[in-house]
Amino acid sequence: MSDEESFTRMFQDHYESVLRYAWRRVGPAEAPDITAETFKIAWEKYGRFPREQPLPWLYATARNLTLNLIRRDNRRDELAGPSSEGLKHHGVEADHATTVVARQTALAALNSLSEDDRELVLLMSWEGLDLRGAAKVVGCSRPTAAMRLHRVRKRLRRLLGEEPQSVAARQPSCQGNAV
């Protein structure tokens, strides 16, 4: 099988997964661009590409691209100055439904994690990667990822065990995180 055929097959097998990954992090407007750029880079580096297990490499590339996009947007927002502050912090109408409170609680708990810890949890729970694959994406060893995951799970259990209102009342900023 030629490189082009092999790449096409890999693209077809993993495009939707990478798109979902990007969608959850940057939203529907930017996800297709992040996905396209991820596969463009994959094609450019296909000679050195891990063909046996491409998904962790693709996720790591998409992660780097989303982080660059978020940094660029944050710089742009900082340059826009105080006039844009009112737009970024609009309150959301409170909904007292149990599911909304549970979602807010979970998002607040996730948002309280460091960026790398949150990424580790999301890679394993949303993207379905095993510990080894998730460790590759976040750039650490498997034992380090295992220890971080243990600590993160312990912290999340503690946070989610609190009263939902006390966690939700913290109103974390989800800016830059499309979780």
Side-chain angles (χ1 to χ4, degrees), residues 99-175:
T99 56
V100 172
V101 172
R103 184 176 187 275
Q104 287 177 330
T105 302
L107 288 174
L110 267 176
N111 233 12
S112 73
L113 302 176
S114 72
E115 186 177 298
D116 285 342
D117 287 347
R118 182 174 44 247
E119 187 72 9
L120 185 63
V121 169
L122 295 178
L123 284 165
M124 294 183 71
S125 61
W126 283 359
E127 309 306 336
L129 288 183
D130 63 6
L131 188 59
R132 185 175 313 282
K136 282 182 188 177
V137 174
V138 298
C140 67
S141 67
R142 186 191 177 288
T144 300
M147 179 56 72
R148 283 177 44 198
L149 186 62
H150 171 73
R151 289 179 183 156
V152 166
R153 285 177 174 161
K154 189 174 175 180
R155 181 170 184 206
L156 287 174
R157 277 193 296 272
R158 182 176 43 80
L159 287 172
L160 295 174
E162 294 177 3
E163 288 296 314
Q165 290 179 343
S166 66
V167 174
R170 295 181 193 155
Q171 294 187 356
S173 168
C174 288
Q175 179 186 358

Side-chain angles (χ1 to χ4, degrees), residues 26-33:
V26 296
E30 302 288 345
D33 292 338

Side-chain angles (χ1 to χ4, degrees), residues 36-120:
E37 185 68 16
T38 298
F39 281 100
K40 176 183 167 265
I41 293 168
W43 174 248
E44 291 168 352
K45 297 183 178 196
Y46 204 58
R48 303 181 314 255
F49 191 82
R51 296 180 190 198
E52 305 79 42
Q53 290 188 328
L55 205 50
W57 189 95
L58 292 168
Y59 284 155
T61 303
R63 177 176 188 250
N64 291 334
L65 292 168
T66 59
L67 291 173
N68 289 340
L69 176 68
I70 290 166
R71 281 190 288 270
R72 186 190 74 215
D73 288 351
N74 287 341
R75 280 193 305 270
R76 185 189 64 230
D77 290 345
E78 288 171 11
L79 290 174
S83 63
S84 66
E85 284 300 307
L87 297 175
K88 290 194 292 187
H89 299 293
H90 278 294
V92 176
E93 186 79 22
D95 183 352
H96 301 286
T98 305
T99 56
V100 172
V101 172
R103 184 176 187 275
Q104 287 177 330
T105 302
L107 288 174
L110 267 176
N111 233 12
S112 73
L113 302 176
S114 72
E115 186 177 298
D116 285 342
D117 287 347
R118 182 174 44 247
E119 187 72 9
L120 185 63

